[in-house]
Amino acid sequence: MASKEEKRRLIEGYAASGMTRREYCAKHGIAVSTLDYWRLKRKPKLVRVAIKGAIAPQASGPGFTLTLGNGRRIESSWSFAEADMTRLIRAAEG
């Protein structure tokens, strides 16, 4: 049984390899169905985010862009208090 780290490494390696699933799995000695299962399990899940307190849109300015570890981005023109931003980041990456 592969560890979480090993699964992550193989999934990311496949994504960066440019190989077909079949080629990559043969090279690394795993079944295509196993790689597919691991990839499916790693897909990001949506989580409900509740942020308490006043959050007002900015009158002007670029706002922020939050880029998650999986490459997805959250963009907003709203401003957040530091504690609220921290909770948002934790919820988005959770």
Side-chain angles (χ1 to χ4, degrees):
M1 175 63 100
S3 69
K4 273 185 164 183
E5 180 60 29
E6 180 70 7
K7 291 175 188 177
R8 183 194 59 76
R9 187 184 65 74
L10 286 165
I11 292 167
E12 290 175 0
Y14 163 67
S17 72
M19 295 181 197
T20 66
R21 291 179 359 260
R22 186 174 301 207
E23 290 168 339
Y24 187 81
C25 290
K27 180 178 177 181
H28 293 279
I30 59 173
V32 173
S33 60
T34 300
L35 178 66
D36 289 345
Y37 177 76
W38 292 346
R39 291 174 61 216
L40 179 66
K41 286 299 198 180
R42 274 192 53 115
K43 282 192 178 178
K45 296 177 177 79
L46 297 178
V47 295
R48 183 174 298 272
V49 176
I51 299 177
K52 298 178 183 177
I55 301 172
Q58 293 178 344
S60 64
F64 72 91
T65 300
L66 174 63
T67 304
L68 304 178
N70 62 8
R72 294 188 181 206
R73 295 170 25 149
I74 298 171
E75 296 182 18
S76 176
S77 61
W78 291 7
S79 91
F80 290 87
E82 185 176 342
D84 293 332
M85 181 61 81
T86 301
R87 286 200 318 261
L88 173 64
I89 292 168
R90 285 186 184 140
E93 289 194 329

